[in-house]
Amino acid sequence: MNPMVRKELNLRMRERRGWILPSLYLVILAAVITLAYYLTALEGRGFEVRQVQGSEVGIAMFLTAAYAQMGILLLLAPIFSAGALTIEKEQRTMAGLLTSLLSPFQIWWGKFAASLLFVLLLIVSGLPMLSVSFAFGGIGPWEVFMATITTVIALGSLSAIGLYWSSVFRRSVHATAVTYATIIALTLVTFIVFIIYVAARHNADSWQSFAWYVKGPLYLNPVFFLTMSFAPARELYPEWIRCLGVFVCLGLLATGMSLWNLRRGGEVV
Amino acid sequence: MIEVNDLRKSYNGSRGLDGFNLKVDKGELFGLVGPNGAGKTTLMKILASLLVPDSGVAQVAGMSVQHNRDAVKTLIGYMPDQPGLYQDMRLREFLQFFADAFHVSKNRQPATIDSALTRAGLRDRSDAYVEELSFGMKQRLVLAKTLLHEPKLLLLDEPATGLDPIARLDLRRELQQLNAEGVTILISSHILSDLEDICTRVALISGGKNAADAEGNQVIELRKTTAVAKIYEVELLDEAAAASQSAAATGAKVISAEGNRLLIEVAGGKTEAAAVLRELMSAGIEVAGFRQQSSTLEERYQKAFGGKRR
């Protein structure tokens, strides 16, 4: 096993946030799903729920849980990735790593795997909540699988971007701020740009009729990526596949630039 | 073991190294002296393959540190000026991590780690967390970590900074022992007495270039006593100012005359010093004491860098 991965996992699970964040994550996710259930199933006044609860409840709960999960993880991911390399610079341990026989890739992989494994821990611990919707119908294992795999890919790519900023800056606070700015740009700014364009046209064009430069920014949007994963299996192409390509390319680009920075790491130690 | 030729490195326009040259033989305990910002850390980082030089040659054991990074890394142990530690790790865990990082084989690891802990005097605290150690203990732990893969060359950047006198003495003993075991050591330090006591030679560096002492030596041989001029402290019964003219007349160079203490530099050996003393006494000057002052590294440092503040 890569010694970096073992070290990272050991140290992270020793930190207080190692158990506080998963607990907080599950509490918030449970609260959001419960709220979605009541909002969909409530009938009349008070807290009385419908006698017959069908697939619309299951679908509402699942979609709420999937988007809530993506939202919470978008907020949490920079905490794990953006400080991963800067912490080594701040505590002056980076020189020790770079002068050891660990390759820049091993150092990067240790950090990336630890960040992503923590995200995976959260996703896996939240799976039973996503699966509650099975009881109501309308949602099957395929939808849960697609939502989960899409979330993992998007978060993996964003973790790689967080690590890139971590390789650029000396201070965790700077790397974390720029990572959050990047996530805001990818989620909110791309969405706002799309909405402005559609509103400016004052007509109800179909999605297929939009030019590539209108749709293009949305392929960078992790929430759009998640939305496209809800399409039936035969309709995953082109939108979900394009998003997948974009996120994989983003992740690879960030990885390449991080490794380049680590190779000249002494300049920032 | 180390060969550096015309090494240059600049950071955002300012020069870290500006054509520095150095040659350290195998088995030497070599010192590097210079004021703050002289380029010592830059040189150490280049030799440790952390920095890429702009131009020039930096070789360790005949291999370019730029082009043979991995091979060079197996040969060197680098201890930076402010070494970092994982405070949340236990000592054994910390050494285990670096033993893995330096590819020490799994079956050799327990013995290697035990011996490192023993050498650092931390065997009985192997399960303690790093954060519980004193500064001196942490420094010993970093040195033990640096030695895990049995490097042939140690690069120590200001290793004694912040250590108390006892810890400094321990460090000196440790370095002398390592050197006796055949490890070549390049050490930079501001604590000149540390270098003076243990180094065979010392190179002077200033402004990224080789600097020279008052006698023009870029590398000072500390184990040889080849000083052409020696400094003598003359204790007088009367004011030193009155005697300074007579002293100058003897051919000695007056360095200072304060109170009843005269500091003179006499060219040559004991015979020339005795002649100066005779001349002073025959001139009617009452001399209460006449002692030779050794030309310490600190004095040579003052002469070389005295006017430079960085």
Side-chain angles (χ1 to χ4, degrees):
Chain A
M1 188 183 188
N2 179 341
M4 275 302 287
V5 178
R6 193 170 52 231
K7 180 204 88 142
E8 286 298 309
L9 291 179
N10 272 339
L11 291 185
R12 281 187 189 214
M13 294 316 288
R14 257 176 219 169
E15 291 172 6
R16 209 175 291 170
R17 67 181 180 182
W19 60 269
I20 288 181
L21 287 179
S23 307
L24 203 63
Y25 166 78
L26 289 176
V27 167
I28 294 172
L29 202 58
V32 168
I33 291 172
T34 308
L35 186 68
Y37 169 75
Y38 276 108
L39 286 178
T40 321
L42 277 180
E43 188 179 51
R45 291 183 177 185
F47 282 92
E48 280 182 29
V49 291
R50 274 181 288 173
Q51 289 297 313
V52 181
Q53 298 174 4
S55 61
E56 79 279 9
V57 177
I59 291 170
M61 283 174 73
F62 170 73
L63 291 179
T64 308
Y67 284 118
Q69 178 175 259
M70 177 65 94
I72 299 167
L73 291 177
L74 285 176
L75 289 174
L76 292 181
I79 296 174
F80 307 126
S81 60
L85 290 168
T86 45
I87 191 77
E88 301 282 355
K89 297 173 202 170
E90 284 168 344
Q91 62 189 15
R92 296 181 179 280
T93 43
M94 187 60 116
L97 294 179
L98 292 171
T99 51
S100 76
L101 296 179
L102 290 170
S103 65
F105 180 76
Q106 279 179 304
I107 297 171
W108 177 88
W109 175 248
K111 297 291 182 182
F112 178 75
S115 305
L116 197 60
L117 281 174
F118 207 87
V119 169
L120 277 177
L121 169 74
L122 299 184
I123 291 175
V124 169
S125 63
L127 268 179
M129 291 202 214
L130 254 72
S131 307
V132 168
S133 50
F134 290 163
F136 298 91
I139 293 297
W142 172 253
E143 283 77 19
V144 174
F145 170 76
M146 281 305 293
T148 303
I149 200 78
T150 304
T151 307
V152 170
I153 292 166
L155 266 297
S157 184
L158 293 174
S159 293
I161 292 171
L163 270 177
Y164 166 68
W165 290 123
S166 190
S167 73
V168 169
F169 292 101
R170 282 172 194 263
R171 300 262 163 252
S172 296
V173 64
H174 298 150
T176 307
V178 175
T179 306
Y180 274 122
T182 308
I183 288 175
I184 289 170
L186 292 179
T187 49
L188 293 180
V189 175
T190 53
F191 181 67
I192 291 167
V193 166
F194 176 75
I195 292 296
I196 288 172
Y197 179 83
V198 172
R201 288 183 59 133
H202 301 296
N203 60 26
D205 284 348
S206 69
W207 170 254
Q208 278 77 14
S209 67
F210 290 135
W212 64 268
Y213 56 86
V214 179
K215 294 196 276 187
L218 275 185
Y219 292 128
L220 293 162
N221 190 319
V223 180
F224 177 74
F225 187 20
L226 179 65
T227 306
M228 291 303 105
S229 75
F230 301 140
R234 62 182 173 280
E235 290 173 26
L236 287 177
Y237 182 82
E239 309 307 352
W240 187 82
I241 297 290
R242 281 179 188 160
C243 285
L244 175 68
V246 166
F247 274 88
V248 168
C249 287
L250 268 183
L252 290 176
L253 183 69
T255 302
M257 293 197 298
S258 303
L259 292 177
W260 190 80
N261 279 342
L262 276 174
R263 284 209 172 85
R264 49 179 285 278
E267 309 279 350
V268 288
V269 170
Chain B
M1 192 68 175
I2 299 176
E3 192 145 4
V4 167
N5 288 320
D6 197 23
L7 204 60
R8 290 168 200 276
K9 174 73 188 173
S10 55
Y11 305 93
N12 304 323
S14 69
R15 283 231 175 263
L17 284 177
D18 192 10
F20 188 72
N21 298 292
L22 180 72
K23 193 169 186 294
V24 178
D25 294 329
K26 195 173 173 186
E28 269 198 285
L29 209 166
F30 198 99
L32 191 63
V33 173
N36 287 335
K40 302 187 295 291
T41 299
T42 305
L43 175 69
M44 290 286 192
K45 281 186 173 180
I46 289 174
L47 290 171
S49 73
L50 279 172
L51 287 179
V52 179
D54 297 337
S55 66
V57 176
Q59 289 185 327
V60 168
M63 292 181 289
S64 159
V65 292
Q66 235 180 306
H67 302 114
N68 302 283
R69 282 172 99 165
D70 286 347
V72 169
K73 279 185 197 174
T74 60
L75 290 178
I76 61 160
Y78 169 62
M79 193 165 149
D81 52 348
Q82 289 172 302
L85 288 159
Y86 298 109
Q87 306 289 340
D88 298 344
M89 272 186 166
R90 294 176 195 277
L91 270 59
R92 185 172 287 279
E93 249 179 342
F94 175 79
L95 292 172
Q96 167 101 45
F97 168 65
F98 277 101
D100 281 333
F102 277 109
H103 301 173
V104 176
S105 66
K106 285 281 174 201
N107 52 357
R108 272 186 52 217
Q109 275 188 16
T112 304
I113 291 167
D114 282 344
S115 126
L117 285 166
T118 307
R119 183 159 216 157
L122 296 166
R123 183 92 188 251
D124 55 335
R125 306 199 64 169
S126 63
D127 288 326
Y129 282 100
V130 171
E131 65 185 349
E132 295 167 10
L133 301 182
S134 69
F135 185 81
M137 287 174 177
K138 284 179 182 172
Q139 202 78 343
R140 292 210 301 270
L141 179 65
V142 174
L143 184 60
K145 168 232 129 182
T146 310
L147 296 169
L148 276 174
H149 61 300
E150 296 171 0
K152 301 280 178 276
L153 168 66
L154 265 185
L155 303 170
L156 308 175
D157 195 0
E158 307 274 358
T161 306
L163 293 180
D164 63 39
I166 303 289
R168 289 219 312 267
L169 283 172
D170 286 344
L171 178 68
R172 272 194 241 177
R173 269 195 291 271
E174 173 84 13
L175 295 182
Q176 280 174 315
Q177 193 186 330
L178 283 165
N179 189 234
E181 289 167 15
V183 179
T184 308
I185 301 174
L186 175 62
I187 175 172
S188 75
S189 180
H190 280 123
I191 303 161
L192 301 175
S193 56
D194 284 347
L195 296 184
E196 189 164 36
D197 288 351
I198 59 171
C199 291
T200 44
R201 294 191 297 159
V202 168
L204 303 174
I205 179 172
S206 175
K209 296 176 184 170
N210 293 82
D213 66 4
E215 289 141 29
N217 301 310
Q218 290 187 338
V219 174
I220 299 170
E221 306 261 350
L222 289 173
R223 297 285 163 85
K224 290 182 189 172
T225 49
T226 55
V228 178
K230 292 192 173 80
I231 296 165
Y232 292 85
E233 184 185 348
V234 187
E235 201 181 329
L236 303 160
L237 291 180
D238 298 321
E239 283 293 305
S244 64
Q245 255 187 336
S246 306
T250 65
K253 183 181 168 189
V254 177
I255 297 171
S256 70
E258 286 170 18
N260 60 350
R261 189 172 162 273
L262 188 66
L263 214 58
I264 55 172
E265 193 177 276
V266 180
K270 285 180 180 171
T271 316
E272 287 76 11
V276 169
L277 179 59
R278 234 183 350 259
E279 290 286 328
L280 287 174
M281 293 179 79
S282 63
I285 293 164
E286 291 182 286
V287 177
F290 192 86
R291 284 177 294 274
Q292 185 195 330
Q293 282 200 331
S294 59
S295 180
T296 61
L297 180 59
E298 208 149 322
E299 284 161 357
R300 295 172 91 160
Y301 180 90
Q302 270 186 337
K303 283 183 185 176
F305 305 119
K308 294 169 188 170
R309 288 218 167 260
R310 305 219 22 185

